Amino acid sequence: QVQLVESGGGLVQPGGSLRLSCAASGNIDDIGVRGWYRQSPGKQRELVAQIISNSGGGTNYLESVKGRFTISRDNAKQMVWLQMNNLKPEDTAVYYCNAFIRTTQAAFGSNYWGQGTQVTVSS
């Protein structure tokens, strides 16, 4: 089976920084696009950042996090990170790792999700 494990969430003051990590493991043949989503109470889950898991892959960011958040990856390590700088209270949410993965025994890939990690930005 495939597992995505997130870490790095926590409580920070406005203007602070956090770095989220997501490790993929299992019978993985290939990982395509990877992304970070977030959801706060009363709101829909939204895409924060995504990155194509191949050479020259592009990135996309939620408009409100551009210039503050950076997504990166290491295909060999099957890792993805989200560096979050200049955090604001409105960034408070549960952050979820997402990846499109094809296993070693499947012809088609599927979306997988991490368990989520809480990020709280407060004074």
Side-chain angles (χ1 to χ4, degrees):
Q1 75 284 359
V2 171
Q3 185 177 17
L4 300 179
V5 179
E6 300 150 330
S7 63
L11 173 64
V12 297
Q13 295 184 346
S17 297
L18 284 174
R19 186 173 179 83
L20 306 183
S21 299
C22 179
S25 62
N27 300 115
I28 298 172
D29 179 67
D30 183 69
I31 304 179
V33 65
R34 304 194 70 168
W36 289 94
Y37 291 72
R38 69 185 183 189
Q39 187 169 23
S40 58
K43 297 185 65 178
Q44 295 292 108
R45 185 174 298 186
E46 63 184 352
L47 176 67
V48 177
Q50 65 178 6
I51 185 168
I52 304 301
S53 296
N54 58 13
S55 180
T59 57
N60 290 298
Y61 295 93
L62 182 68
E63 184 67 29
S64 62
V65 309
K66 287 182 178 178
R68 300 189 296 119
F69 291 11
T70 302
I71 188 170
S72 59
R73 71 178 189 273
D74 186 320
N75 292 336
K77 299 292 185 182
Q78 299 183 141
M79 294 283 296
V80 67
W81 299 269
L82 183 67
Q83 178 67 46
M84 304 185 294
N85 297 325
N86 191 24
L87 284 160
K88 304 176 180 181
E90 50 263 47
D91 295 318
T92 296
V94 177
Y95 284 71
Y96 297 90
C97 177
N98 170 261
F100 187 80
I101 297 173
R102 186 179 68 245
T103 70
T104 55
Q105 301 181 87
F108 300 95
S110 298
N111 277 313
Y112 292 86
W113 294 89
Q115 78 286 351
T117 184
Q118 177 71 48
V119 171
T120 302
V121 185
S122 176
S123 297

